[in-house]
Amino acid sequence: MATKTYLAVDVGASSGRVLGGVFDGERIRLEELHRFENGPTHAAGGMYWDLLLLWKNIKEGLKAAQAKYGDDIVSMGVDTWGVDFAFLGDDGELLGNPRHYRDPRTKGIFHDAFEIASREEIFAETGLQFMEFNSLYQLYAMRRADSSILDAAEDFLMMPDIFHWLLTGEKGNEVTNSTTTQLYNPVTKGWSKKLIDKFGLPNVFHEILPTGTNLGKLRADVIAATGIRSAEVILPGTHDTASAVAAVPAAQSSGKTPNWCYISSGTWSLMGVESSHPVINAKCAEYNFTNEGGIGGTTRLLKNIGGLWLVQECRRIWKDAGREFSWSELVRMSEAATPLASLIDPDHASFSAPADMPQAIRDFCTRTGQKAPQSEGEVIRCALESLAMRYRQVHGWLQELTGGEIDTIHIVGGGAQNTLLSQFAADACKCRVVAGPTEATAVGNLMTQAVSLGDIGNLWESREVVRKSFSVTEYRPRNTTAWDEAFGRFLNLLNK
């Protein structure tokens, strides 16, 4: 086949990028066209996303794509993080900037929310893990505050839905991101009318659109701004983890008892398995796992783990203090630090949004009777080893929930470049780790477009393309005895 070019707009919580994927029928080649910063904007006591700045950058990336590829561009699609959203009014106007999921309005909200519907009832209805920033609690916070935006809302659009509306004028809620709201029922595969009614939410939710839906051509104003005329806009797995999992280069189908799991590693670590069905039972609820939509009708049974947010924030604090380190420098300093000297619970509330992450890590260690790490290398090693310990715990839970032995962990996303964390994961979990591809989210986005257009047959054929196209690094466990001993110390730190 002649080469075709698909465009992936991949917007993460800390940065965004527009990439081209040039496909020759067997392999796909990635080319970065535009990269831009993202992050929260603080205003009037709230945290927001700068939606219009993101949109401006997306158009810049599309314009660069047109200059490079011209009429070879056949399609494009947008993925972002989950849970966050905005509204349109009845005249099609955007009603304010979307709030950031770390906005303080949902802090402590579970107490009041569970008075309306119990934790057990919500989990039975949605199979989703409980996090205060889930869309349900953001919406309830708006209702509780008598939000004028909620009163005027006509259309509920999640972040990628907003960008697809800006591209095409079409309004809808793509399935993989909809499943992150805690308002989606994975059994009925639709919105939970029960929870929507109980929480007094307006009827603003759209038809849930399947991954791979073709939304059609670009708006006239987008064509004028970018020069792209003939491309189709296709819904990828719009939740970035769904797209990342689609790019896992696994050689075997996960099946009913998967023998591999994944970690989509970035600001967050999303660790789970690809399941043929939702798992909604008492153990799943006890371990606070989530059932989210995957590509090809699969379910992503996973758990959110704090991720490299810990390291990103340490790096930012040191940079603000005039000590700027590259990622490779941080890894080298960590390698020189004493192994397994101190550990933290990476999901402890004190690490959610501290003013000073290195100090928060030291304070946790002091509070739990450990020696506090002092140097930059000691702090980063503490964070990375603690993440690996959390991976070990979740790895065990996944095996219990699925009833099978998971002998391989695929780490995809930007965190796959962290060689130290990958080795720690192999050591802690005592199994093989395969790291890569690093741009998994964009790759999965592109592969879904190719499948939708009929250029690739299905998910498993697309994974064969990924294996041919990208190299990976394999890690084997070493010195597991020390990790066994330290794991007991780690478990004793939880919930402190």
Side-chain angles (χ1 to χ4, degrees):
M1 63 178 281
T3 61
K4 293 184 177 182
T5 300
Y6 322 102
L7 302 180
V9 180
D10 173 27
V11 186
S14 58
S15 67
R17 58 208 63 80
V18 178
L19 300 102
V22 181
F23 183 50
D24 64 7
E26 291 190 1
R27 291 176 174 81
I28 191 162
R29 183 180 76 254
L30 282 189
E31 298 175 336
E32 185 176 297
L33 304 165
H34 183 54
R35 181 177 286 263
F36 49 93
E37 294 298 312
N38 190 21
T41 296
H42 297 262
M47 293 175 69
Y48 299 85
W49 298 105
D50 193 339
L51 176 65
L52 296 183
L53 181 59
L54 291 174
W55 175 235
K56 178 182 178 182
N57 274 292
I58 289 170
K59 289 191 293 183
E60 286 295 318
L62 297 181
K63 187 175 178 180
Q66 171 62 22
K68 185 175 183 68
Y69 303 120
D71 292 340
D72 287 345
I73 301 170
V74 295
S75 65
M76 67 183 69
V78 184
D79 65 76
T80 78
W81 63 97
V83 307
D84 288 339
F85 55 85
F87 294 103
L88 303 181
D90 60 9
D91 57 357
E93 287 287 329
L94 183 67
L95 301 178
N97 261 329
R99 294 279 186 127
H100 190 287
Y101 57 82
R102 295 189 193 273
D103 185 273
R105 64 183 172 170
T106 58
K107 188 172 180 59
I109 202 167
F110 284 158
H111 178 270
D112 288 351
F114 295 159
E115 292 291 319
I116 295 173
S118 70
R119 187 184 184 99
E120 293 75 18
E121 183 178 6
I122 294 171
F123 186 79
E125 186 71 8
T126 66
L128 205 77
Q129 68 183 335
F130 289 87
M131 306 184 79
E132 286 185 334
F133 54 62
N134 287 346
S135 312
L136 168 60
Y137 309 113
Q138 294 194 48
L139 288 163
Y140 174 53
M142 297 178 75
R143 170 57 69 216
R144 191 172 61 172
D146 295 323
S147 166
S148 59
I149 289 180
L150 192 60
D151 288 340
E154 185 71 19
D155 301 290
F156 169 89
L157 298 177
M158 303 196 74
M159 293 299 296
D161 301 329
I162 299 168
F163 293 125
H164 285 122
W165 168 72
L166 287 167
L167 287 168
T168 67
E170 296 295 323
K171 293 180 283 191
N173 300 132
E174 188 271 336
V175 61
T176 65
N177 224 301
S178 298
T179 64
T180 71
T181 59
Q182 206 151 44
L183 283 167
Y184 175 89
N185 186 311
V187 177
T188 65
K189 301 188 183 302
W191 295 114
S192 170
K193 187 174 185 304
K194 180 178 182 179
L195 292 180
I196 290 169
D197 289 347
K198 279 205 166 195
F199 283 89
L201 304 179
N203 183 25
V204 293
F205 303 94
H206 278 275
E207 173 192 1
I208 293 176
L209 300 176
T211 301
T213 296
N214 190 327
L215 296 180
K217 304 292 186 182
L218 296 171
R219 291 179 188 249
D221 64 301
V222 182
I223 293 173
T226 66
I228 300 175
R229 296 187 173 276
S230 59
E232 308 284 338
V233 178
I234 293 173
L235 295 181
T238 66
H239 187 227
D240 48 13
T241 308
S243 279
V245 173
V248 169
Q252 291 178 281
S253 170
S254 48
K256 291 184 178 179
T257 53
N259 65 350
W260 59 269
C261 68
Y262 58 82
I263 301 173
S264 179
S265 179
T267 301
W268 291 90
S269 292
L270 295 306
M271 186 172 185
V273 296
E274 190 174 69
S275 173
S276 59
H277 59 280
V279 178
I280 303 176
N281 56 37
K283 276 294 180 187
C284 189
E286 177 188 345
Y287 297 149
N288 201 22
F289 271 66
T290 199
N291 290 269
E292 295 176 357
I295 308 297
T298 59
T299 294
R300 288 177 291 121
L301 176 67
L302 64 88
K303 190 168 182 66
N304 282 48
I305 301 170
L308 290 171
W309 161 255
L310 299 164
V311 180
Q312 291 165 355
E313 279 296 284
C314 287
R315 186 170 179 247
R316 180 184 67 81
I317 290 295
W318 293 326
K319 180 180 178 180
D320 290 347
R323 304 193 308 278
E324 185 170 3
F325 303 105
S326 69
W327 293 104
S328 59
E329 285 174 324
L330 289 176
V331 167
R332 283 198 300 272
M333 290 189 293
S334 301
E335 287 175 329
T338 302
L340 301 167
S342 53
L343 298 166
I344 61 170
D345 173 2
D347 292 321
H348 194 274
S350 60
F351 304 124
S352 175
D356 185 332
M357 183 66 81
Q359 191 58 46
I361 289 172
R362 294 187 186 103
D363 289 346
F364 182 94
C365 292
T366 300
R367 191 171 63 249
T368 53
Q370 304 178 85
K371 180 182 177 182
Q374 296 303 314
S375 70
E376 289 88 351
E378 289 172 342
V379 169
I380 297 302
R381 184 159 193 137
C382 172
L384 295 179
E385 288 178 338
S386 299
L387 282 174
M389 287 297 188
R390 187 64 157 158
Y391 297 164
R392 174 174 174 147
Q393 184 181 39
V394 175
H395 177 254
W397 285 342
L398 282 168
Q399 293 181 108
E400 185 177 348
L401 289 170
T402 61
E405 180 181 351
I406 296 172
D407 57 21
T408 299
I409 299 173
H410 287 274
I411 300 181
V412 296
Q417 299 175 90
N418 193 313
T419 56
L420 200 57
L421 180 57
S422 295
Q423 185 61 59
F424 288 167
D427 296 343
C429 299
K430 297 195 283 191
C431 67
R432 170 176 171 257
V433 166
V434 178
T438 58
E439 292 285 5
T441 300
V443 173
N445 180 327
L446 297 166
M447 290 291 92
T448 302
Q449 295 177 51
V451 170
S452 176
L453 292 173
D455 299 329
I456 299 174
N458 53 42
L459 172 63
W460 287 101
E461 288 184 21
S462 75
R463 283 183 170 146
E464 175 64 23
V465 172
V466 174
R467 289 195 295 275
K468 288 180 179 178
S469 303
F470 302 98
S471 60
V472 298
T473 304
E474 186 170 315
Y475 300 83
R476 294 285 180 172
R478 306 181 310 205
N479 192 27
T480 58
T481 302
W483 287 84
D484 288 341
E485 183 278 329
F487 185 58
R489 287 194 282 123
F490 172 78
L491 294 179
N492 289 331
L493 298 173
L494 302 183
N495 303 315
K496 289 189 176 181

